[in-house]
Amino acid sequence: MPLRYVQQVWRSKLARSVALVASGTAAAQVIGIAFSPIITRLYGPEAFGILGTYTALLTILTPIGALSYPIAIVLPKHDADAKVLVRLSIRLSFITSAIVGLLLLIAERPLLELLNIGEVGKFIWFVPLAMLLSVWLAVATNWAVRKKLFQLTAKVAVINALIQNGLKAAIGLFAPFAWVLISVATLGNAMNAALYYFGIRKQPHQELSYEYKSLTQMELAKNYGDFAYYRTPQIVLNAASQSMPVLMLTALFGPAAAGFYSLGRMVLGVPGHLLGQSVSTVFYPHFSEVVLAKRSGATLLLKTTLGLFFIGIIPFLIVILCGPFIFKFTFGNEWHKAGELARWLSIWLLFSLAARPAIAAIPVLKMQKAFLFFEMFAVMFRAGALYLAYYFYNSLESAVIGFSLISVGVYLFLIAWVFKRCSKKANLKILET
């Protein structure tokens, strides 16, 4: 049964597009893995912990940068409207980044004290610039997805991985400090966006229909307002729940503990990012086309979800069985603890991977308002599990176990909920016809 689902997914047009994106992502991840033993030996757990805390803050703030309108670029029927959404997103990025910079100027110290992350204080001023660059990257990425430029996506992933990891290793030989990791990560978004920009410019120019007059920015902002009202808070909440362990572990156990978690999360992100992001990139526009054509997307959703789950079992099972040995051998003796945490993170991330198609289907099924409330409860459950495990057992491993097991339950519920909604919409369309 599992093999049959994998074979069905692999033979489809969707799978061929996924394979193209995944090839670039895989090459990028291989580059990252090749550099990791060098980088981890240069910088150490504390530097990675500070980078993880900074990245966690940025991950929470980035969706506010353009109120999630870049995600909507894929959806309009006409390119003219999509281009207006591009301009709207870029304009919002300047406004929100300036507001965040002003707030930091006013309340930098109280914010750092509130979150108990004083170690990040000297790097906090990277955040407004990183927000701005992240929006530009999101705009470029979603335009490439809209135009199905999957080969460009693969090329950009490889080039960016070479540049970023090369810079971290080269500079780390002389200055193995956290500010190097943060600077390269921030400028990496700019390099990524520039690579997309020049790649898109090289594509054959498509004339727009003069019979269609595009909507204004205000009209499109209203038409896709659910991205601003519901999807943005949902993404912020999801980012908070994903980043919460880093922030809480920094506050409860110190930056080194966050460094162990961050490395484990980064390494396990290799199969997750390789498969999940590649599938989501292709699945999102394909699923949108199916639904717009008033066909059932339930079968596509089910096959893609099961295919991802069964494919993902292999790499995550290896980490569950051999995590501590792999991390100690690959990254050095001081990273053995990261391997122990990675065993439990693998269980959570396997189900996170399987949930990627369901999450991609949510805006198409117009579930964003309900998804926001779902994310609110998910954040509370995850935070509660992590803190209660710390309170009763007072150990880093217990806190990670509690967080991981609750996250598995969250993703199982999400997959079942989206599939049920998708099936219901399909039945309603059959009755209408």
Side-chain angles (χ1 to χ4, degrees), residues 207-268:
E207 293 293 338
L208 300 177
S209 173
Y210 291 102
E211 298 177 359
Y212 179 78
K213 180 176 174 57
S214 63
L215 300 177
T216 65
Q217 289 186 24
M218 290 299 296
E219 289 171 331
L220 284 167
K222 183 177 179 181
N223 288 351
Y224 294 97
D226 56 335
F227 283 86
Y229 304 142
Y230 306 125
R231 190 60 183 267
T232 298
Q234 178 273 317
I235 295 176
V236 170
L237 285 170
N238 181 264
S241 68
Q242 301 286 341
S243 303
M244 180 199 319
V246 176
L247 297 175
M248 291 185 69
L249 293 176
T250 301
L252 298 173
F253 298 103
F260 293 133
Y261 174 90
S262 296
L263 180 66
R265 181 70 177 83
M266 181 185 74
V267 171
L268 293 175

Side-chain angles (χ1 to χ4, degrees), residues 54-55 57-68 70-71 73 89-90 93-94 96-97 126-142 185-194 196:
Y54 165 82
T55 304
L57 283 173
L58 183 60
T59 303
I60 296 171
L61 291 173
T62 294
I64 303 171
L67 302 179
S68 299
I71 304 174
I73 290 170
S89 300
I90 292 174
S93 71
F94 283 105
T96 54
S97 298
F126 282 89
V127 170
L129 174 61
M131 283 181 61
L132 185 73
L133 297 175
S134 295
V135 172
W136 295 0
L137 175 58
V139 167
T141 302
N142 281 282
T186 301
L187 295 177
N189 286 333
M191 292 185 289
N192 231 348
Y196 269 113

